[in-house]
Amino acid sequence: MKAIVFTKYGTPDVLELKEIDKPIPKEDEVLVKVYAVSINDWDIGLLQGGDIINRLINGLFKPKIQILGSDIAGRIEAVGKNVKKFQPGDEVYGDLSGSWGGFAEYVCALENKLTLKPAGMSFEEAASIPQAAMLAIQGLLDKGQIQSGQKLLINGAGGGVGTFAIQIAKLFGVEVTGVDSLEKLAMMRSMGYDHVINYKHVDFTKNGQRYDLILDVKTNRSVFDYTRALNRNGIYVIVGGSLVRLLQALFLGPWISIISKKKICFVALKSNKDLESMNELFEAGKVKPIIDGHYQIDEVPKAMRLFSEGTHKGKVVITVENNNKH
Ligand SMILES: NC(=O)c1ccc[n+]([C@@H]2O[C@H](COP(=O)([O-])OP(=O)(O)OC[C@H]3O[C@@H](n4cnc5c(N)ncnc54)[C@H](OP(=O)(O)O)[C@@H]3O)[C@@H](O)[C@H]2O)c1
């Protein structure tokens, strides 16, 4: 089978398209023929091996897991003898982070990492959902306790998480401000953001506006700046961002909460937890993934370069195999 492989840490230039053996599922695994896979920030971190956390996960000096790609959608081709939930032919999707292997024509996965794909959802749409939509749901609902009538700000609003978060937030009847670069503001307005801010021109923590809830995928300021932009009893939810800023928020957050009545929360991704809810929202026409692509499997390096530069809108998706049905 074809796979995008890397044997040393580096830029997308170290990725190679190779012919390798098709994997064989273990007793508790299924073999999935991959139709589509999307790119996540985590793929970039593991590829670069740029920080100690990614090196601890995937090898100090060279990568142990050599095929990246976690968010896949495809059709089950074979099942191990202990698999109960699926059978060959089922169309599934899910987040395989931890084992990865999605930038390939076939991948093996534990059955609990996969969910049936609704018939009306394309493989590309399904592949765009797992990490980004789970972070949006868990950030807004589980941590942010979003409520109707609130003022919400999403920082990093035009990427994967932000384009799911705006659609979910609007179901709660909130007023939403989105912060991202100029090139994404028109798309964001068309998606329903009530106000948009170009972060290169305006610092939303210093323009006098206050929010009940902030969802931040790009934490890059001092935690004091963020709490200044919150109303009393407001909640600041951190999805991701600079390690230094995350550590600062982790240590100072509890003290700030005691003194100011404002809450600082972190999302710890629970992979695949809310995929069934996403299926319902999708089938009810309430959420539609925004896809940047479609790239082919040999274009993974190019797609990862574009993702790293941040020029993409929504989710960057690779079509591994075209499927005319969906
Ligand atoms: N908490 C967890 O358990 C967990 C698990 C997995 C991933 N994560 C995190 O989740 C996040 C994934 O986000 P995503 O998929 O939505 O990323 P994304 O698709 O790259 O979107 C991020 C957006 O932020 C914009 N941006 C860049 N710098 C900005 C700034 N200073 N202010 C405002 N916006 C800015 C980018 O646009 P431009 O670059 O064009 O400006 C881009 O549109 C990452 O931070 C990742 O580390 C967290």
Side-chain angles (χ1 to χ4, degrees), residues 64-80:
K64 286 184 277 192
I65 289 170
Q66 299 184 335
I67 304 176
L68 296 171
S70 64
D71 288 9
I72 62 119
R75 186 173 284 121
I76 293 193
E77 185 157 297
V79 300

Side-chain angles (χ1 to χ4, degrees), residues 39-42 131-132 135 155-162 179-181 183-184 199-200 217-218 220-221 238-241 266-270 307 309-312 314-315:
I39 295 179
N40 285 298
D41 200 54
W42 212 345
Q131 276 190 31
L135 289 167
N155 191 37
V161 176
V179 183
D180 211 304
S181 53
E183 296 71 27
K184 295 176 197 174
Y199 72 84
K200 291 177 184 161
V217 304
K218 278 284 162 193
N220 59 358
R221 295 178 176 83
I238 298 175
V239 173
F266 289 81
V267 178
L269 174 65
K270 295 193 175 95
F307 185 93
E309 288 159 8
T311 48
H312 60 286
K315 286 291 301 180

